Amino acid sequence: MKLLCACVFLALSLNVLAARGARASQASETEGLNFRNPEANRNPDAAATLIVFNQNDPDSRDLANFYAEKRGIPRDHLLGLRCAINEEISREDYDRTIAEPLRRFMTANFFWKLRELNSPLGAVEWNKIRFIELMRGVPLKIAPAVAYAGDKPTGPEAIATHNEAAVDSELSIVGLRTPIISGALNNPYFRSYSRIRDYPSGELMLVCRIDAPTYGIARRMITDSLEAEQEGLAGFTYIDARGINDGGYLEGDQWLRAAAENARRRGSPVILDDGPDLFPAGYPMRNAAVYLGWYSGDVSGALASPGFRFVRGAVAVHIHSFSAATVRDPSQHWVGPLLFAGAAATLGNVYEPYLSLTPHLDILHERLRAGFTFAESAYMAQRYLSWMTTFVGDPLYRPFKGAEMLDEKPAKGEWAEYREGAKLWFTKSRAVGEAALRASAKRLRSGAIYEGLGLLEITVNDRAAALTAFQQARSVYTNADDVCRVAIHEAIQLRGANREADAIALARKMIAAYPRSPAVSVLQLFEPPKPK
């Protein structure tokens, strides 16, 4: 398998071209669905959303209806295409069955107004559609084309020689009508901090997909997103870095460490694995609300455990060259397995993307925590378009809805009190935050708050305070896996303090107390190697 290249193409300057459109051919039949939902009048994002489904897949139509009803998408904002049901299609099929029918639908329904080709004012005069949601059944990726009329590769050879792409990414710039399919295009929305409805350029639309190994999982992604918005996304943030401090792969670890720091400051307890391996099999990764990591070809480690489940509404991403080579297999690569394990939103690469051309996970996380939608956060994190990334989830999903108004959910309970105490740690002082966290942990008898406090103590290199907090967490946790996870934290800190005998004794004590816990396999790692 070709490894994810760490080349940094900072000098890449590919202009967004409004060139002559791709060769036109007879389009397939299109169809809109008819029903009403008054919610659309109250949600401007819903009014700016187009749903695309595959008429050749009955489940795709049903899913489109379900999503439109739940989100209040207007009845004339649904487009049915007759396209292939397999995940990979040719460039010709993409043009004939997806891109051209969509352009005609947009024009016929007055959703946008296109300028003349090559107009110096830009390709799109105005556009009412800012989000496009592709339903399960719509193809995922466009295979490489040997030749394409009007194509003119531009930029560094390593980029310009590729014309394969994710359907989502290609549709995001469908209004440009450019025949140049080789290479990537600069994303003008990269690092933006504006809602897409306030963004002046009409050329860009944020394209995501509701897709998964099964129809049931796809439907669950929709309901989980809505429920998480109302009740709040709460739990631990698990970050799986690789302990890289120099070299070409450093950038990926920098993203993950920055995301960890942002999560801490936003009030989420962060469990950071900064070693070369993934969270190991058996590690009790409970209450996982956010997961960001890399770099394994297929789901493995703790996330591959049979009983592992994310919390409702979780956002989970694993960087790998082919993490989304398929999204419909529950055991291959990463996107499908993450969704199978309960995640509501993820992203991945359908073909080799190169590291610097993948979404910057620190930006993705920061924008989500600031209250932006999944689609906005994803495209703000994506440097280039017409490339390899697919964004899988409800584009309107705001997992931290209310954050911009300081009204983040949940509003009460242990996760809310941890959030407020952690924020005091960073905005007032460690002493103030520490006191608040200890008080709420004691009052609520919350192992999660004590554990989160211990994780904060580690960041200031106070092992003694961290060990005290972890011991208190163990004393109030009632779930065996939670107890074992905290014991693993303790053993790591004891070993770091050169208290090897104490680390071994603790591990043995936990193994004896909880012999059936999957965490036993991790605790056994603290045993000294047997003499040969």
Side-chain angles (χ1 to χ4, degrees):
M1 176 183 295
K2 182 165 59 173
L3 291 177
L4 190 71
C5 176
C7 298
V8 181
F9 293 96
L10 297 181
L12 185 62
S13 57
L14 303 175
N15 293 324
V16 177
L17 302 174
R20 178 172 295 275
R23 292 170 295 178
S25 57
Q26 185 176 2
S28 60
E29 177 186 356
T30 62
E31 178 185 347
L33 301 182
N34 294 314
F35 56 84
R36 295 183 179 276
N37 191 319
E39 179 64 22
N41 299 322
R42 299 190 293 271
N43 185 350
D45 282 348
T49 300
L50 177 69
I51 301 174
V52 179
F53 65 96
N54 188 348
Q55 292 191 62
N56 294 325
D57 183 345
D59 285 347
S60 188
R61 177 195 294 270
D62 291 345
L63 199 62
N65 272 293
F66 182 73
Y67 178 69
E69 179 183 0
K70 292 298 183 181
R71 277 294 182 191
I73 309 297
R75 62 185 179 86
D76 58 346
H77 285 223
L78 286 93
L79 167 63
L81 302 174
R82 293 199 181 277
C83 50
I85 61 175
N86 45 300
E87 289 184 289
E88 186 174 63
I89 57 172
S90 68
R91 177 64 63 165
E92 180 183 12
D93 283 343
Y94 166 77
D95 286 339
R96 180 174 57 86
T97 66
I98 297 178
E100 288 301 330
L102 189 147
R103 290 189 187 104
R104 285 199 301 274
F105 182 84
M106 292 278 289
T107 299
N109 287 274
F110 302 101
F111 289 142
W112 68 8
K113 183 177 180 182
L114 301 178
R115 293 191 174 99
E116 294 295 326
L117 286 170
N118 302 317
S119 169
L121 298 177
V124 180
E125 185 171 340
W126 49 261
N127 191 348
K128 296 179 181 179
I129 299 299
R130 306 322 305 261
F131 303 95
I132 295 180
E133 182 71 316
L134 307 179
M135 288 296 147
R136 186 176 191 273
V138 175
L140 171 71
K141 54 188 179 179
I142 307 166
V146 175
Y148 192 79
D151 191 22
K152 183 181 179 181
T154 308
E157 182 178 359
I159 305 300
T161 54
H162 292 276
N163 61 36
E164 64 268 35
V167 168
D168 317 29
S169 190
E170 205 74 334
L171 281 179
S172 70
I173 45 92
V174 70
L176 296 181
R177 297 166 289 168
T178 174
I180 298 179
I181 64 171
S182 295
L185 297 177
N186 282 326
N187 177 10
Y189 198 55
F190 178 59
R191 293 190 182 276
S192 174
Y193 217 89
S194 298
R195 296 298 309 276
I196 189 63
R197 289 186 289 103
D198 299 327
Y199 190 72
S201 174
E203 281 81 5
L204 176 65
M205 294 181 287
L206 310 185
V207 185
C208 298
R209 64 174 52 239
I210 294 289
D211 211 335
T214 67
Y215 169 81
I217 293 173
R219 188 179 171 105
R220 188 266 305 158
M221 292 164 62
I222 297 169
T223 56
D224 280 1
S225 297
L226 290 163
E227 291 175 10
E229 283 184 350
Q230 295 301 314
E231 301 174 15
L233 176 59
F236 289 100
T237 295
Y238 289 89
I239 305 288
D240 205 335
R242 297 174 63 191
I244 298 172
N245 294 309
D246 54 40
Y249 289 100
L250 175 61
E251 184 176 25
D253 257 19
Q254 288 175 328
W255 296 343
L256 295 175
R257 291 169 189 154
E261 181 62 14
N262 179 257
R264 293 186 192 103
R265 291 180 175 275
R266 287 282 186 174
S268 289
V270 176
I271 299 177
L272 170 64
D273 180 354
D274 205 8
D277 300 320
L278 301 182
F279 283 104
Y283 182 83
M285 191 182 282
R286 280 174 35 85
N287 293 310
V290 175
Y291 165 80
L292 302 174
W294 72 324
Y295 178 81
S296 172
D298 289 297
V299 64
S300 56
L303 287 92
S305 301
F308 172 75
R309 292 287 296 176
F310 287 104
V311 302
R312 180 208 59 246
V315 178
V317 180
H318 188 93
I319 302 173
H320 188 267
S321 298
F322 305 103
S323 51
T326 174
V327 301
R328 297 174 192 168
D329 191 307
S331 60
Q332 286 191 30
H333 307 297
W334 280 92
V335 167
L338 290 174
L339 297 171
F340 184 78
T346 183
L347 58 87
N349 305 303
V350 300
Y351 301 109
E352 168 66 64
Y354 304 111
L355 180 58
S356 292
L357 276 69
T358 61
H360 294 212
L361 296 190
D362 55 339
I363 299 175
L364 171 74
H365 180 270
E366 193 280 331
R367 298 305 195 268
L368 287 172
R369 293 304 307 238
F372 287 99
T373 67
F374 172 62
E376 289 167 331
S377 303
Y379 279 83
M380 289 171 179
Q382 177 64 55
R383 185 186 293 273
Y384 299 105
L385 303 172
S386 185
W387 199 236
M388 311 303 181
T389 303
T390 181
F391 300 107
V392 187
D394 178 354
L396 308 187
Y397 177 35
R398 296 168 64 191
F400 300 100
K401 184 178 180 179
E404 74 280 11
M405 301 298 293
L406 302 180
D407 186 29
E408 190 173 329
K409 302 293 189 298
K412 59 183 179 180
E414 62 180 347
W415 299 108
E417 296 212 22
Y418 175 82
R419 183 179 66 236
E420 297 310 310
K423 287 182 178 180
L424 289 174
W425 174 295
F426 289 103
T427 60
K428 298 294 185 180
S429 68
R430 172 189 171 184
V432 172
E434 195 173 53
L437 290 167
R438 288 193 180 281
S440 58
K442 182 178 180 179
R443 175 167 44 82
L444 298 175
R445 290 188 57 79
S446 170
I449 296 178
Y450 278 127
E451 184 177 0
L453 174 59
L455 295 167
L456 283 176
E457 304 286 15
I458 290 174
T459 66
V460 293
N461 298 315
D462 192 338
R463 281 201 173 94
L467 286 168
T468 297
F470 291 147
Q471 290 164 7
Q472 291 171 318
R474 262 198 301 126
S475 71
V476 296
Y477 265 137
T478 57
N479 181 277
D481 289 341
D482 289 332
V483 174
C484 289
R485 183 183 59 254
V486 177
I488 292 168
H489 298 333
E490 287 183 78
I492 291 172
Q493 295 307 308
L494 289 168
R495 176 172 284 177
N498 296 317
R499 295 170 57 184
E500 187 70 20
D502 291 336
I504 295 171
L506 176 61
R508 289 174 176 172
K509 177 181 177 181
M510 292 297 103
I511 292 170
Y514 305 101
R516 296 184 179 180
S517 172
V520 166
S521 63
V522 182
L523 290 164
Q524 288 173 337
L525 298 176
F526 293 94
E527 288 283 358
K530 295 180 180 179
K532 295 182 180 180

mmCIF file of all heavy atoms in Angstrom, residues 20-24 91-92 94-96 99-100 103 145-153 163 170 178-182:
data_model
loop_
_atom_site.group_PDB
_atom_site.id
_atom_site.type_symbol
_atom_site.label_atom_id
_atom_site.label_comp_id
_atom_site.label_asym_id
_atom_site.label_seq_id
_atom_site.Cartn_x
_atom_site.Cartn_y
_atom_site.Cartn_z
ATOM 1 N N ARG A 20 -14.290 26.429 -20.186
ATOM 2 C CA ARG A 20 -15.397 25.851 -20.933
ATOM 3 C C ARG A 20 -15.837 24.549 -20.281
ATOM 4 O O ARG A 20 -15.022 23.781 -19.827
ATOM 5 C CB ARG A 20 -14.989 25.598 -22.383
ATOM 6 C CG ARG A 20 -16.103 24.936 -23.206
ATOM 7 C CD ARG A 20 -15.751 24.866 -24.667
ATOM 8 N NE ARG A 20 -15.653 26.197 -25.224
ATOM 9 C CZ ARG A 20 -16.706 26.884 -25.672
ATOM 10 N NH1 ARG A 20 -17.904 26.366 -25.596
ATOM 11 N NH2 ARG A 20 -16.552 28.085 -26.164
ATOM 12 N N GLY A 21 -17.123 24.326 -20.220
ATOM 13 C CA GLY A 21 -17.671 23.166 -19.538
ATOM 14 C C GLY A 21 -17.281 21.858 -20.190
ATOM 15 O O GLY A 21 -16.837 21.818 -21.326
ATOM 16 N N ALA A 22 -17.397 20.785 -19.375
ATOM 17 C CA ALA A 22 -17.100 19.448 -19.888
ATOM 18 C C ALA A 22 -18.098 19.083 -20.966
ATOM 19 O O ALA A 22 -19.176 19.673 -21.074
ATOM 20 C CB ALA A 22 -17.158 18.440 -18.751
ATOM 21 N N ARG A 23 -17.725 18.095 -21.784
ATOM 22 C CA ARG A 23 -18.572 17.690 -22.888
ATOM 23 C C ARG A 23 -19.964 17.325 -22.394
ATOM 24 O O ARG A 23 -20.132 16.547 -21.481
ATOM 25 C CB ARG A 23 -17.956 16.476 -23.591
ATOM 26 C CG ARG A 23 -16.676 16.805 -24.318
ATOM 27 C CD ARG A 23 -15.997 15.547 -24.777
ATOM 28 N NE ARG A 23 -15.573 14.749 -23.614
ATOM 29 C CZ ARG A 23 -14.990 13.568 -23.723
ATOM 30 N NH1 ARG A 23 -14.787 13.033 -24.903
ATOM 31 N NH2 ARG A 23 -14.613 12.914 -22.650
ATOM 32 N N ALA A 24 -20.960 17.948 -23.043
ATOM 33 C CA ALA A 24 -22.340 17.686 -22.642
ATOM 34 C C ALA A 24 -22.836 16.400 -23.272
ATOM 35 O O ALA A 24 -22.423 16.023 -24.355
ATOM 36 C CB ALA A 24 -23.243 18.844 -23.086
ATOM 37 N N ARG A 91 -15.418 8.918 -15.089
ATOM 38 C CA ARG A 91 -15.594 10.357 -15.260
ATOM 39 C C ARG A 91 -16.762 10.643 -16.205
ATOM 40 O O ARG A 91 -17.545 11.571 -15.982
ATOM 41 C CB ARG A 91 -14.300 10.976 -15.792
ATOM 42 C CG ARG A 91 -14.378 12.460 -16.083
ATOM 43 C CD ARG A 91 -14.626 13.321 -14.869
ATOM 44 N NE ARG A 91 -13.561 13.250 -13.896
ATOM 45 C CZ ARG A 91 -13.417 14.128 -12.889
ATOM 46 N NH1 ARG A 91 -14.289 15.102 -12.722
ATOM 47 N NH2 ARG A 91 -12.437 13.981 -12.015
ATOM 48 N N GLU A 92 -16.898 9.849 -17.251
ATOM 49 C CA GLU A 92 -18.003 10.045 -18.194
ATOM 50 C C GLU A 92 -19.342 9.872 -17.495
ATOM 51 O O GLU A 92 -20.272 10.673 -17.690
ATOM 52 C CB GLU A 92 -17.879 9.051 -19.350
ATOM 53 C CG GLU A 92 -18.989 9.178 -20.376
ATOM 54 C CD GLU A 92 -18.903 8.140 -21.476
ATOM 55 O OE1 GLU A 92 -18.119 7.177 -21.327
ATOM 56 O OE2 GLU A 92 -19.634 8.284 -22.470
ATOM 57 N N TYR A 94 -19.928 10.229 -14.321
ATOM 58 C CA TYR A 94 -20.097 11.339 -13.384
ATOM 59 C C TYR A 94 -20.689 12.550 -14.113
ATOM 60 O O TYR A 94 -21.657 13.162 -13.637
ATOM 61 C CB TYR A 94 -18.763 11.708 -12.740
ATOM 62 C CG TYR A 94 -18.795 13.041 -12.031
ATOM 63 C CD1 TYR A 94 -19.400 13.183 -10.785
ATOM 64 C CD2 TYR A 94 -18.238 14.180 -12.628
ATOM 65 C CE1 TYR A 94 -19.459 14.412 -10.144
ATOM 66 C CE2 TYR A 94 -18.276 15.410 -11.988
ATOM 67 C CZ TYR A 94 -18.894 15.522 -10.752
ATOM 68 O OH TYR A 94 -18.949 16.749 -10.126
ATOM 69 N N ASP A 95 -20.107 12.903 -15.246
ATOM 70 C CA ASP A 95 -20.619 14.052 -16.004
ATOM 71 C C ASP A 95 -22.060 13.834 -16.437
ATOM 72 O O ASP A 95 -22.919 14.714 -16.289
ATOM 73 C CB ASP A 95 -19.755 14.290 -17.249
ATOM 74 C CG ASP A 95 -18.404 14.896 -16.928
ATOM 75 O OD1 ASP A 95 -18.261 15.488 -15.841
ATOM 76 O OD2 ASP A 95 -17.492 14.784 -17.768
ATOM 77 N N ARG A 96 -22.332 12.636 -16.992
ATOM 78 C CA ARG A 96 -23.614 12.377 -17.647
ATOM 79 C C ARG A 96 -24.750 12.174 -16.657
ATOM 80 O O ARG A 96 -25.871 12.642 -16.899
ATOM 81 C CB ARG A 96 -23.478 11.142 -18.549
ATOM 82 C CG ARG A 96 -24.745 10.748 -19.294
ATOM 83 C CD ARG A 96 -24.474 9.610 -20.256
ATOM 84 N NE ARG A 96 -23.929 8.453 -19.557
ATOM 85 C CZ ARG A 96 -24.679 7.526 -18.962
ATOM 86 N NH1 ARG A 96 -26.008 7.643 -18.950
ATOM 87 N NH2 ARG A 96 -24.126 6.487 -18.361
ATOM 88 N N ALA A 99 -23.232 15.351 -12.575
ATOM 89 C CA ALA A 99 -22.888 16.775 -12.651
ATOM 90 C C ALA A 99 -23.839 17.560 -13.549
ATOM 91 O O ALA A 99 -24.389 18.600 -13.140
ATOM 92 C CB ALA A 99 -21.446 16.933 -13.129
ATOM 93 N N GLU A 100 -24.044 17.089 -14.785
ATOM 94 C CA GLU A 100 -24.893 17.840 -15.708
ATOM 95 C C GLU A 100 -26.351 17.883 -15.274
ATOM 96 O O GLU A 100 -26.976 18.953 -15.305
ATOM 97 C CB GLU A 100 -24.760 17.265 -17.122
ATOM 98 C CG GLU A 100 -23.434 17.582 -17.791
ATOM 99 C CD GLU A 100 -23.176 19.071 -17.932
ATOM 100 O OE1 GLU A 100 -24.162 19.844 -18.056
ATOM 101 O OE2 GLU A 100 -22.012 19.477 -17.893
ATOM 102 N N ARG A 103 -26.582 20.489 -12.509
ATOM 103 C CA ARG A 103 -26.506 21.871 -13.015
ATOM 104 C C ARG A 103 -27.850 22.304 -13.611
ATOM 105 O O ARG A 103 -28.333 23.418 -13.352
ATOM 106 C CB ARG A 103 -25.407 21.985 -14.067
ATOM 107 C CG ARG A 103 -23.984 21.873 -13.543
ATOM 108 C CD ARG A 103 -22.996 22.226 -14.651
ATOM 109 N NE ARG A 103 -21.622 21.966 -14.238
ATOM 110 C CZ ARG A 103 -20.899 20.929 -14.643
ATOM 111 N NH1 ARG A 103 -21.418 20.042 -15.492
ATOM 112 N NH2 ARG A 103 -19.658 20.767 -14.229
ATOM 113 N N ALA A 145 -9.268 8.946 -15.258
ATOM 114 C CA ALA A 145 -9.580 8.967 -16.683
ATOM 115 C C ALA A 145 -8.281 9.017 -17.477
ATOM 116 O O ALA A 145 -7.354 9.756 -17.120
ATOM 117 C CB ALA A 145 -10.446 10.177 -17.019
ATOM 118 N N VAL A 146 -8.214 8.250 -18.557
ATOM 119 C CA VAL A 146 -7.012 8.239 -19.392
ATOM 120 C C VAL A 146 -6.853 9.563 -20.115
ATOM 121 O O VAL A 146 -5.756 10.122 -20.220
ATOM 122 C CB VAL A 146 -7.074 7.076 -20.397
ATOM 123 C CG1 VAL A 146 -5.881 7.120 -21.349
ATOM 124 C CG2 VAL A 146 -7.124 5.741 -19.655
ATOM 125 N N ALA A 147 -7.941 10.113 -20.613
ATOM 126 C CA ALA A 147 -7.918 11.397 -21.321
ATOM 127 C C ALA A 147 -9.252 12.090 -21.096
ATOM 128 O O ALA A 147 -10.282 11.445 -20.846
ATOM 129 C CB ALA A 147 -7.659 11.185 -22.806
ATOM 130 N N TYR A 148 -9.246 13.422 -21.215
ATOM 131 C CA TYR A 148 -10.463 14.190 -20.994
ATOM 132 C C TYR A 148 -10.371 15.471 -21.813
ATOM 133 O O TYR A 148 -9.385 16.219 -21.711
ATOM 134 C CB TYR A 148 -10.618 14.516 -19.505
ATOM 135 C CG TYR A 148 -11.974 15.049 -19.122
ATOM 136 C CD1 TYR A 148 -13.061 14.190 -18.950
ATOM 137 C CD2 TYR A 148 -12.174 16.403 -18.922
ATOM 138 C CE1 TYR A 148 -14.297 14.664 -18.580
ATOM 139 C CE2 TYR A 148 -13.417 16.895 -18.553
ATOM 140 C CZ TYR A 148 -14.487 16.025 -18.384
ATOM 141 O OH TYR A 148 -15.711 16.495 -18.025
ATOM 142 N N ALA A 149 -11.373 15.729 -22.611
ATOM 143 C CA ALA A 149 -11.343 16.875 -23.519
ATOM 144 C C ALA A 149 -11.217 18.186 -22.741
ATOM 145 O O ALA A 149 -12.013 18.456 -21.841
ATOM 146 C CB ALA A 149 -12.601 16.896 -24.376
ATOM 147 N N GLY A 150 -10.220 18.980 -23.096
ATOM 148 C CA GLY A 150 -10.031 20.285 -22.464
ATOM 149 C C GLY A 150 -9.189 20.266 -21.208
ATOM 150 O O GLY A 150 -8.883 21.314 -20.642
ATOM 151 N N ASP A 151 -8.813 19.073 -20.721
ATOM 152 C CA ASP A 151 -8.022 18.988 -19.494
ATOM 153 C C ASP A 151 -6.636 19.570 -19.715
ATOM 154 O O ASP A 151 -6.033 19.411 -20.783
ATOM 155 C CB ASP A 151 -7.919 17.531 -19.042
ATOM 156 C CG ASP A 151 -7.343 17.397 -17.640
ATOM 157 O OD1 ASP A 151 -7.410 18.370 -16.863
ATOM 158 O OD2 ASP A 151 -6.825 16.314 -17.318
ATOM 159 N N LYS A 152 -6.137 20.239 -18.702
ATOM 160 C CA LYS A 152 -4.818 20.865 -18.778
ATOM 161 C C LYS A 152 -4.183 20.770 -17.395
ATOM 162 O O LYS A 152 -4.354 21.652 -16.552
ATOM 163 C CB LYS A 152 -4.926 22.324 -19.210
ATOM 164 C CG LYS A 152 -3.577 23.019 -19.380
ATOM 165 C CD LYS A 152 -3.776 24.477 -19.792
ATOM 166 C CE LYS A 152 -2.437 25.192 -19.933
ATOM 167 N NZ LYS A 152 -2.607 26.622 -20.304
ATOM 168 N N PRO A 153 -3.433 19.692 -17.144
ATOM 169 C CA PRO A 153 -2.817 19.520 -15.827
ATOM 170 C C PRO A 153 -1.979 20.729 -15.434
ATOM 171 O O PRO A 153 -1.217 21.263 -16.240
ATOM 172 C CB PRO A 153 -1.958 18.268 -16.004
ATOM 173 C CG PRO A 153 -2.622 17.524 -17.117
ATOM 174 C CD PRO A 153 -3.135 18.582 -18.059
ATOM 175 N N ASN A 163 -6.290 12.699 -11.747
ATOM 176 C CA ASN A 163 -7.612 13.256 -12.065
ATOM 177 C C ASN A 163 -8.741 12.469 -11.421
ATOM 178 O O ASN A 163 -9.913 12.764 -11.635
ATOM 179 C CB ASN A 163 -7.825 13.363 -13.580
ATOM 180 C CG ASN A 163 -7.764 12.022 -14.285
ATOM 181 O OD1 ASN A 163 -8.201 11.005 -13.759
ATOM 182 N ND2 ASN A 163 -7.216 12.013 -15.496
ATOM 183 N N GLU A 170 -15.674 16.952 -5.956
ATOM 184 C CA GLU A 170 -15.859 17.448 -7.319
ATOM 185 C C GLU A 170 -17.143 18.261 -7.432
ATOM 186 O O GLU A 170 -17.182 19.296 -8.104
ATOM 187 C CB GLU A 170 -15.867 16.277 -8.295
ATOM 188 C CG GLU A 170 -15.467 16.629 -9.700
ATOM 189 C CD GLU A 170 -13.969 16.879 -9.847
ATOM 190 O OE1 GLU A 170 -13.293 17.263 -8.868
ATOM 191 O OE2 GLU A 170 -13.478 16.708 -10.959
ATOM 192 N N THR A 178 -15.585 23.688 -15.296
ATOM 193 C CA THR A 178 -14.245 23.625 -15.867
ATOM 194 C C THR A 178 -13.928 22.232 -16.391
ATOM 195 O O THR A 178 -14.265 21.241 -15.752
ATOM 196 C CB THR A 178 -13.183 24.033 -14.834
ATOM 197 O OG1 THR A 178 -11.877 23.831 -15.387
ATOM 198 C CG2 THR A 178 -13.314 23.226 -13.554
ATOM 199 N N PRO A 179 -13.279 22.144 -17.564
ATOM 200 C CA PRO A 179 -12.848 20.839 -18.060
ATOM 201 C C PRO A 179 -11.536 20.376 -17.453
ATOM 202 O O PRO A 179 -11.073 19.281 -17.740
ATOM 203 C CB PRO A 179 -12.692 21.093 -19.556
ATOM 204 C CG PRO A 179 -12.250 22.509 -19.627
ATOM 205 C CD PRO A 179 -12.988 23.220 -18.523
ATOM 206 N N ILE A 180 -10.925 21.207 -16.649
ATOM 207 C CA ILE A 180 -9.647 20.841 -16.043
ATOM 208 C C ILE A 180 -9.925 19.964 -14.827
ATOM 209 O O ILE A 180 -10.383 20.438 -13.788
ATOM 210 C CB ILE A 180 -8.829 22.086 -15.675
ATOM 211 C CG1 ILE A 180 -8.517 22.878 -16.934
ATOM 212 C CG2 ILE A 180 -7.546 21.693 -14.954
ATOM 213 C CD1 ILE A 180 -7.734 24.148 -16.698
ATOM 214 N N ILE A 181 -9.666 18.685 -14.976
ATOM 215 C CA ILE A 181 -9.970 17.729 -13.917
ATOM 216 C C ILE A 181 -8.705 17.203 -13.242
ATOM 217 O O ILE A 181 -8.802 16.515 -12.229
ATOM 218 C CB ILE A 181 -10.796 16.555 -14.466
ATOM 219 C CG1 ILE A 181 -9.997 15.759 -15.506
ATOM 220 C CG2 ILE A 181 -12.120 17.041 -15.032
ATOM 221 C CD1 ILE A 181 -10.648 14.465 -15.930
ATOM 222 N N SER A 182 -7.539 17.510 -13.791
ATOM 223 C CA SER A 182 -6.286 17.006 -13.220
ATOM 224 C C SER A 182 -5.763 17.965 -12.169
ATOM 225 O O SER A 182 -5.767 19.182 -12.366
ATOM 226 C CB SER A 182 -5.242 16.826 -14.323
ATOM 227 O OG SER A 182 -5.634 15.822 -15.233
#
